[in-house]
Amino acid sequence: MSARSAVPRVLWLPAVAALALVVLPVLGLLTRVDPTRLPALLLSPAALDALRLSVQTAALSTALSLLLGGPLAVVLARSRMRGLRVVRAVVLLPLVLPPVVGGLALLYLLGRTGPVGGLLDAVGLRLPYTTTAVVLAQVFVAMPFLVVGLEGALRTAGARYEQVAATLGAGPWLAFRRVTVPLLLPALGSSLVLTFARALGEFGATITFAGSLQGTTRTLPLAIYTEAQSDVDAAVAMSLLLVVLALVVIVVARPKAVEGRL
């Protein structure tokens, strides 16, 4: 038996208990739903609208997180500016804040009475309770996952490759494109998966900042909460749909991310 495959027996019991803690509640959903109603519930206009909106907004928020969070991760990992620890703490704050706090922060900043929202409202732009608000809320809570993954990869790799490129005459932008970006690629897949999955399941910040309007801001988590008040079977069916969607994303994308690290 190889050293890598040997698992101490004492670890099996807590490992099985941890697995049961994750799997059994999900299996419990299957005992609640009526199989004869499941197709109709999943194909209802409310479920399809929520599914479409969830996938679209999660994809947009993941792309925006990459566009903004990728450079931020490089700055945090490579910059030597003063106060970097404080900046890093602020960036990672959404990881520990309750999502509803993030929703309130966005609302009071970008709402009609907020300092930025008031200026936008003066030119006819309103962000709260729109699809754009959903994307912003998802970016707020999900982007730190991408920043953590990419910054960790850069810190693990070290800065020696960029330093070698600099000694060979490469400028900062050339070194970034030819050295830093390839270093990030192995960790990029797993970071994007986590970001998309977190955006897909976002609830608190979304309902606070964007509301719950069918076809506009009611994503799957919000639709589940809404249906749970009147039709438990519909809520359970949508919950199973969200579970399956999240599993597909992780199972399909995770092996590719792992291969990139080997």
Side-chain angles (χ1 to χ4, degrees):
M1 181 179 294
S2 65
R4 184 177 180 180
S5 62
V7 178
R9 294 182 179 180
V10 68
L11 299 181
W12 278 100
L13 182 59
V16 171
L19 182 63
L21 187 62
V22 175
V23 173
L24 292 181
V26 176
L27 294 179
L29 291 173
L30 295 174
T31 64
R32 180 60 180 82
V33 69
D34 182 1
T36 61
R37 293 190 62 198
L38 191 58
L41 293 173
L42 293 179
L43 295 177
S44 66
L48 293 178
D49 283 344
L51 175 62
R52 173 190 56 80
L53 186 63
S54 291
V55 173
Q56 288 179 350
T57 55
L60 287 173
S61 62
T62 301
L64 189 57
S65 295
L66 176 60
L67 181 64
L68 301 177
L72 179 57
V74 176
V75 170
L76 292 177
R78 295 292 188 256
S79 175
R80 296 181 180 179
M81 68 179 185
R82 299 179 60 181
L84 196 62
R85 290 186 177 181
V86 176
V87 174
R88 183 181 293 109
V90 172
V91 170
L92 302 184
L93 196 58
L95 293 177
V96 296
L97 278 179
V100 67
V101 175
L104 286 174
L106 290 170
L107 183 61
Y108 292 136
L109 174 69
L110 301 174
R112 296 181 62 183
T113 59
V116 177
L119 297 176
L120 295 176
D121 187 66
V123 296
L125 294 177
R126 296 181 182 178
L127 293 179
Y129 310 110
T130 64
T131 304
T132 302
V134 176
V135 175
L136 291 176
Q138 291 175 348
V139 170
F140 180 85
V141 300
M143 186 172 62
F145 287 87
L146 185 134
V147 174
V148 167
L150 297 187
E151 185 194 1
L154 285 171
R155 288 186 173 275
T156 301
R160 59 187 181 276
Y161 297 111
E162 288 96 331
Q163 293 170 355
V164 171
T167 62
L168 296 175
W173 177 241
L174 180 61
F176 173 77
R177 290 190 294 110
R178 301 296 295 273
V179 179
T180 306
V181 171
L183 285 175
L184 287 175
L185 289 179
L188 184 61
S190 58
S191 299
L192 288 175
V193 169
L194 288 175
T195 303
F196 182 85
R198 181 63 187 88
L200 194 65
E202 165 51 30
F203 174 81
T206 304
I207 197 171
T208 305
F209 181 48
S212 181
L213 306 174
Q214 182 174 341
T216 303
T217 65
R218 186 176 296 171
T219 57
L220 265 177
L222 271 64
I224 292 169
Y225 176 79
T226 301
E227 292 295 337
Q229 313 303 314
S230 57
D231 189 345
V232 176
D233 287 344
V236 172
M238 292 182 187
S239 299
L240 290 173
L241 178 60
L242 186 58
V243 168
V244 171
L245 183 59
L247 282 175
V248 168
V249 171
I250 295 173
V251 170
V252 170
R254 185 66 179 178
K256 296 180 180 180
V258 173
E259 288 175 6
R261 295 186 176 187
L262 298 179

